[in-house]
């Protein structure tokens, strides 16, 4: 139940010992330290695999940056502001490098699924070849920026600071009975999500506002994961609800990104030369329904 909510795909046995029932975890400081320790371990494991050229770890590594940033920003008032700002900015930069690669990976899956529905004809084979070349170019460019980023001094500083936080987060004061409860932070994250969702619905559910609501839902989910050892089923219910919402809107976002890519493919000179523009336009129209 609560134990399983720590990290998708992670072994609960790797969680810190005091993350599985210590009464001190009623303090949000303890919850945050335990949860972010797991994200730190995921980040370091991801770095090792990425340096070895394993791009399949891009997604879990990116999720670890999101989990870390979400909790860091939610409890920012308890932390040394200077250190928190530097770490947040570093994680945001790294997440963008990872996200550029992940976006191409997701786009590749979406386009392959759409192209697989078409009959095996000369023009569709040409369209597939053009799409493959387009995706290969984008993936090489994004993965190249990620490789370069891992060798930059900025990444070294990020890794060093995250390591310091792993040894002990820079809280402004010692634990005391009046420390904010985890439920306080969960309520705040849930209210933020609801406000953004309401605004998106009131505006007619435009893609941009729905995407913002989805991001707020993710943040609420990650705060619930952090709080799960203390709040149990109350937090787990939020995790389930936000996960379902993210999955629904994730498909919508993937289709929006695919439509933009199909427009770019249709505009390429090869699309007019080989007659594939009509294929890409048809797929784009279908994704708009």
């Amino acid at each position: 139940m609560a134990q399983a909510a720590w990290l998708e795909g992670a072994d609960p046995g790797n969680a810190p010992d005091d993350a599985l029932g210590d009464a001190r975890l009623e303090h949000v400081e303890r919850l945050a330290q335990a949860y972010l320790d797991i994200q730190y371990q995921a980040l370091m494991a991801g770095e090792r695999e990425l340096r070895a050229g394993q791009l399949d770890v891009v997604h879990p590594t990116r999720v670890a940056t999101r989990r870390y940033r979400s909790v860091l920003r939610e409890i920012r008032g308890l932390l040394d502001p200077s250190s928190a700002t530097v770490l947040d900015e570093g994680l945001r930069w790294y997440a963008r490098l990872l996200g550029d690669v992940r976006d191409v990976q997701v786009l590749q899956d979406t386009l392959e699924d759409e192209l697989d529905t078409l009959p095996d004809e000369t023009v569709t084979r040409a369209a597939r070849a053009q799409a493959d070349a387009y995706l290969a170019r984008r993936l090489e460019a994004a993965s190249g920026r990620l490789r370069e980023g891992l060798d930059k001094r900025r990444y070294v500083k990020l890794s060093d600071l995250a390591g310091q936080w792993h040894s002990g987060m820079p809280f402004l004061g010692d634990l005391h009975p009046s420390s904010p409860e985890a439920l306080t932070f969960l309520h705040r994250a849930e209210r933020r999500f609801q406000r953004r969702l309401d605004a998106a619905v009131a505006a007619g559910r435009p893609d941009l506002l729905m995407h913002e609501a989805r991001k707020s839902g993710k943040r609420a989910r990650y705060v619930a994961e952090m709080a799960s050892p203390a709040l149990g089923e109350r937090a787990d219910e939020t995790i389930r609800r936000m996960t379902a919402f993210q999955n629904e809107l994730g498909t919508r976002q993937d289709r929006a990104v695919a439509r933009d890519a199909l427009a770019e493919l249709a505009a390429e000179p090869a699309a007019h030369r080989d007659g594939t523009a009509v294929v890409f336009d048809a797929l784009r129209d279908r994704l708009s329904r």
Side-chain angles (χ1 to χ4, degrees):
M1 238 178 38
Q3 177 177 327
W6 275 98
L7 181 63
E8 291 178 62
D11 179 1
N14 289 332
D17 291 340
D18 65 345
L20 303 179
D22 193 315
R24 293 176 302 167
L25 285 179
E26 294 176 1
H27 295 289
V28 74
E29 294 97 331
R30 296 292 188 188
L31 289 164
Q33 182 76 68
Y35 185 73
L36 296 188
D37 282 348
I38 294 176
Q39 312 319 316
Y40 172 79
Q41 292 162 8
L43 288 169
M44 294 301 99
E47 178 194 341
R48 290 191 294 271
E49 295 297 316
L50 289 170
R51 290 189 183 281
Q54 302 300 316
L55 293 182
D56 57 330
V57 300
V58 164
H59 179 53
T61 307
R62 183 192 189 193
V63 171
T65 66
R66 285 175 165 176
R67 284 184 160 106
Y68 207 121
R69 288 191 71 215
S70 292
V71 170
L72 184 160
R73 298 175 79 182
E74 201 63 46
I75 66 167
R76 197 182 193 102
L78 304 178
L79 298 162
D80 172 68
S82 177
S83 181
T85 296
V86 172
L87 184 55
D88 183 38
E89 291 178 349
L91 287 169
R92 180 176 59 182
W93 165 77
Y94 187 38
R96 285 176 177 169
L97 293 178
L98 293 163
D100 286 346
V101 177
R102 180 58 183 166
D103 288 348
V104 180
Q105 293 174 331
V106 173
L107 176 61
Q108 184 173 28
D109 290 341
T110 303
L111 292 184
E112 284 182 355
D113 288 345
E114 293 301 317
L115 287 166
D116 283 346
T117 65
L118 301 178
D120 184 18
E121 299 174 348
T122 301
V123 69
T124 56
R125 288 195 293 273
R128 183 181 294 278
Q130 185 183 337
D132 287 346
Y134 168 85
L135 291 165
R137 291 194 302 270
R138 287 190 55 174
L139 184 60
E140 178 56 34
S143 59
R145 291 191 297 271
L146 176 57
R147 287 192 300 270
E148 292 173 1
L150 289 171
D151 291 330
K152 288 183 179 292
R153 177 162 178 76
R154 185 170 187 177
Y155 181 79
V156 174
K157 292 174 65 177
L158 168 62
S159 180
D160 288 347
L161 183 56
Q164 293 172 24
W165 279 47
H166 182 56
S167 299
M169 292 173 63
F171 291 111
L172 292 175
D174 296 331
L175 295 182
H176 52 80
S178 63
S179 292
E181 296 180 358
L183 189 58
T184 300
F185 293 93
L186 181 56
H187 278 159
R188 186 165 65 189
E190 290 171 335
R191 287 194 298 269
R192 183 186 304 109
F193 160 73
Q194 194 60 55
R195 285 196 303 272
R196 292 190 179 179
L197 179 59
D198 290 346
V201 171
R205 298 175 179 264
D207 287 338
L208 179 60
L209 291 183
M210 291 300 286
H211 184 54
E212 289 300 313
R214 181 177 178 236
K215 289 194 295 185
S216 281
K218 285 183 179 180
R219 184 164 166 179
R221 172 187 168 189
Y222 300 151
V223 172
E225 288 178 352
M226 174 197 73
S228 186
L231 300 182
E233 180 59 26
R234 171 63 179 81
D236 290 348
E237 192 278 330
T238 294
I239 294 169
R240 289 191 293 270
R241 184 161 53 91
M242 295 302 168
T243 299
F245 180 77
Q246 290 162 34
N247 291 340
E248 177 185 348
L249 286 192
T251 299
R252 175 183 177 136
Q253 178 66 15
D254 294 345
R255 291 167 68 91
V257 171
R259 289 196 300 271
D260 290 342
L262 287 165
E264 292 181 7
L265 282 163
E268 288 186 346
H272 298 283
R273 182 184 66 240
D274 300 335
T276 55
V278 65
V279 175
F280 297 129
D281 285 338
L283 291 177
R284 186 164 178 259
D285 289 343
R286 186 165 68 186
L287 288 174
S288 299
R289 297 171 193 159

